[in-house]
């Protein structure tokens, strides 16, 4: 595997074995699943569990507050993020983009309720909808 290309773990010998785990631990998974199962805030559009494949394992919530949409994230290391979203309708598909981000990344809610992580080249990951 190419170094820095999204691996779950790495190991090196120099001269002793050094192992780094980038994915979530069982305790982190349990905590994130508990967070995902907690009562969502009012105005919640949807809530999803993001895997390591997204680059930021955690819980994603899209919610509406007044006339604005926000994406909140709770990460495996207990940190949190909040970004305002804008929507775009492209060929009948509603795309959610971070208002302050200048990239081609966007989110879509798929027909099965999962969250698609996309860019101009297509969908590169999905996050599982919280039931």
């Amino acid at each position: 595997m190419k170094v820095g290309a999204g691996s779950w773990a790495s190991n090196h010998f120099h001269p002793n074995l050094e192992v780094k785990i980038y994915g979530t631990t069982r305790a982190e998974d349990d905590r994130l699943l508990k967070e995902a199962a907690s009562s969502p805030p009012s105005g919640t559009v949807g809530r999803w569990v993001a895997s390591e494949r997204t680059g930021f394992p955690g819980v994603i919530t899209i919610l509406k507050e007044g006339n604005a949409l926000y994406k909140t994230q709770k990460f495996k290391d207990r940190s949190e993020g909040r970004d305002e979203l804008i929507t775009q309708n492209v060929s009948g598909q509603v795309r959610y983009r971070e208002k302050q981000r200048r990239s081609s990344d966007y989110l879509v809610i798929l027909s099965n309720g999962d969250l698609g992580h996309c860019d101009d080249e297509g969908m590169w990951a999905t996050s599982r909808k919280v039931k």
Side-chain angles (χ1 to χ4, degrees):
M1 175 170 248
K2 183 177 176 184
V3 173
S7 62
W8 183 82
S10 68
N11 65 53
H12 300 283
F13 289 95
H14 45 130
N16 298 320
L17 175 62
E18 177 185 309
V19 177
K20 291 184 180 178
I21 306 293
Y22 303 113
T24 54
T25 64
R26 180 174 302 284
E28 289 167 333
D29 277 342
D30 291 345
R31 186 177 42 75
L32 290 171
L33 290 173
K34 184 177 179 181
E35 169 65 33
S38 68
S39 295
S42 71
T44 295
V45 174
R47 184 178 265 183
W48 301 269
V49 176
S51 70
E52 291 88 10
R53 178 132 165 71
T54 65
F56 45 84
V59 178
I60 300 170
T61 304
I62 294 179
L63 55 111
K64 185 170 183 165
E65 293 179 359
N67 293 327
L69 281 171
Y70 295 92
K71 174 184 72 174
T72 63
Q73 294 174 265
K74 296 201 177 180
F75 301 101
K76 71 175 190 167
D77 67 357
R78 299 181 189 266
S79 64
E80 298 181 18
R82 179 179 166 101
D83 297 289
E84 187 172 356
L85 298 175
I86 58 172
T87 58
Q88 296 175 311
N89 192 319
V90 178
S91 301
Q93 179 187 62
V94 177
R95 296 180 177 183
Y96 299 88
R97 291 185 186 269
E98 292 178 16
K99 187 174 184 177
Q100 299 300 320
R101 190 169 185 181
R102 301 196 191 284
S103 75
S104 65
D105 292 347
Y106 60 92
L107 302 168
V108 295
I109 300 174
L110 304 173
S111 61
N112 67 357
D114 288 351
L115 190 66
H117 300 262
C118 310
D119 60 23
D120 289 340
E121 295 182 22
M123 187 167 27
W124 49 270
T126 58
S127 292
R128 188 178 72 252
K129 180 181 179 169
V130 174
K131 303 290 183 205

